[in-house]
Amino acid sequence: MHIGIIGTGYVGLVTGACFAEFGLFVTCVDRDEKKIHSLKKGLIPFYEPGLEELVKRNMQQGRLEFTTKIARAVESSLVIFIAVGTPRRGDGSADLKYVEDVAKEIAKTMNDYKVIVTKSTVPVGTGKKLQEIISNNLNEKIYFDIVSNPEFLREGSAIEDFMRPNRVVIGATSQQAIAIMKDLYKPLYLIETPFVITNIETAELIKYASNSFLATKISFINEIAKLCEKVGADIHLVAKGMGLDQRIGPKFLHPGPGYGGSCLPKDTNALLRMAEEHNVKLNIVEAVIRVNEEQRDYMVTKIREAMKELKGKTIAILGLSFKPNTDDIRDAPSLHIIKEMIKEEAYIRVYDPVVTDKYRQVKEKQYENIGYSILSHKNVKYCKDPYDAVKGANAFVIVTEWNQFRNLDLERIKNLLKEPFFFDLRNVYEPQKVRDKGFKYYSVGRG
Ligand code: NAD
């Protein structure tokens, strides 16, 4: 079978490469010519472990190709996935402009029966909207089906998540489309992946409800962490004690500077707006968003209170990406923290294993309005490693728990710092051990 993927970003490229690995013929499309040019040479436009080898192998074996022309994918494919971005608009709702543009283009070049699948995270009702858009833009009467097939992969472990998902959700009304989708995902049937087959609206909502629930767990544990600090409890043991209850589960109960990334902040806000449009008030989701925003501010407050003031101080920031093993800084807590510190006239020395200065310069041109501008501020200096970052700084802050920050040479760091302030926003280190080394150590939710 031949399939097309429109939008070759994190989701589109991983989806395309993984389906090619399943033995399908895949045409990946993107309107970004530079991206397609690089991909044709086997160069991956972002950081995702294992993806480069997967892409190269499938290109060499003739199952994966890249183009800027939607028509090429549409003509040759039975199934067309839409995997373009659905960014947050000013009012919090999801911007469907890219999805709708793609739908129109697909319609104009459709030559035969197609299954058109939304892989992008889209608000409930989008499937119906696409049905109309495509019908209205067809050159001739052609039968087609719409399917919602939300994606749950996590950046940093995207290939494993795609190849071994917890579940596959398929929303469709047409039995023919469901049968085709099942056929696509046949390799996952063999490993007994659960399939949830439902209508389009339910599938669309499953994605938002899942992400909002994950965000709820994070905001919940962050609030409890705040309380731990006041009452002398240890958040890690509270989380462990809670997580051992199988009704709760241990995942997403790690305190920190709040959630970030390209999905949770955007999707919680979009769910809230979606519910408002239907006159439903989602009190919990509203609180989750507010707690997350407060948590970021609270991190800055914590640092300011410990250091008395930030003005004129130099702060070393370790980690920019919203989590380890990705270069994605969309809505990353690091950006908010740096912005607030700069407002207070602090100087920042940053180090991230992937988001380097060179990387920023390239990405800044590709992505607008996602925060690279704050990283170009004159007060921000990029450093070559963690030790370079802490040189002469008044404090250092672990914002993202990259593995290479887990075993830092603390003696060396202490000698390089001007003052021994250590803010561990991911609770990577053992408080007593670090304090014994002479650091003024602050973490989250540990007394
Ligand atoms: P992305 O920004 O990395 O990629 C989107 C791509 O679409 C870009 O390369 C862009 O150039 C391309 N594009 C936009 N308009 C186009 C058009 N008209 N024709 C062809 N290409 C076009 O986005 P992403 O992170 O891959 O997210 C895509 C969708 O998947 C979003 O709805 C997101 O919410 C959802 N999602 C993302 C993740 C994740 O971890 N990134 C996980 C699950 C779901």
Side-chain angles (χ1 to χ4, degrees), residues 325-352:
N325 289 330
T326 180
D327 60 353
D328 203 338
I329 61 156
R330 288 178 277 187
D331 262 319
S334 64
L335 300 183
H336 182 81
I337 292 170
I338 291 173
K339 193 168 93 195
E340 291 303 308
M341 286 179 165
I342 288 177
K343 262 194 216 158
E344 297 189 31
E345 297 177 42
Y347 297 93
I348 312 292
R349 293 176 66 82
V350 296
Y351 171 71
D352 185 282

Side-chain angles (χ1 to χ4, degrees), residues 9-11 30-31 35 86 121 151 155 262-263 266 330:
Y10 285 87
V11 168
D30 205 285
R31 62 174 183 172
K35 196 180 253 188
T86 46
T121 303
E151 183 50 59
E155 288 172 14
S262 65
C263 293
K266 162 175 91 66
R330 288 178 277 187

Side-chain angles (χ1 to χ4, degrees), residues 77-245:
S77 305
L78 171 61
V79 183
I80 301 148
F81 284 89
I82 302 177
V84 295
T86 46
R88 189 175 2 162
R89 281 201 294 223
D91 66 353
S93 62
D95 189 348
L96 288 179
K97 179 177 168 300
Y98 304 103
V99 173
E100 291 175 3
D101 285 352
V102 168
K104 281 179 204 154
E105 274 199 68
I106 292 173
K108 284 180 194 150
T109 48
M110 249 163 70
N111 52 349
D112 206 350
Y113 170 75
K114 306 285 172 193
V115 179
I116 297 153
V117 186
T118 50
K119 201 67 65 223
S120 300
T121 303
V122 292
V124 179
T126 304
K128 277 222 174 83
K129 213 173 188 180
L130 293 187
Q131 185 90 36
E132 270 174 42
I133 292 175
I134 294 173
S135 301
N136 294 340
N137 284 277
L138 286 172
N139 293 323
E140 52 183 310
K141 199 166 166 44
I142 299 170
Y143 183 55
F144 68 94
D145 279 313
I146 298 282
V147 172
S148 165
N149 174 219
E151 183 50 59
F152 300 94
L153 62 76
R154 294 163 299 172
E155 288 172 14
S157 53
I159 296 170
E160 176 69 10
D161 288 350
F162 193 94
M163 297 277 194
R164 295 183 178 277
N166 293 154
R167 78 297 211 186
V168 171
V169 174
I170 295 172
T173 40
S174 145
Q175 289 310 312
Q176 184 177 358
I178 292 171
I180 292 170
M181 292 302 289
K182 278 183 168 175
D183 200 29
L184 274 188
Y185 281 109
K186 207 161 47 194
L188 299 185
Y189 263 90
L190 301 178
I191 55 168
E192 296 185 2
T193 305
F195 277 64
V196 179
I197 298 183
T198 177
N199 63 21
I200 295 177
E201 290 73 15
T202 308
E204 289 169 341
L205 192 52
I206 287 172
K207 174 66 191 175
Y208 282 101
S210 301
N211 272 1
S212 298
F213 192 75
L214 293 174
T216 303
K217 284 187 96 175
I218 296 173
S219 279
F220 183 85
I221 207 67
N222 280 337
E223 279 208 313
I224 299 296
K226 259 187 178 169
L227 183 59
C228 284
E229 290 177 5
K230 299 284 181 209
V231 300
D234 181 334
I235 189 62
H236 283 286
L237 292 174
V238 172
K240 187 175 178 189
M242 288 170 64
L244 284 168
D245 184 329

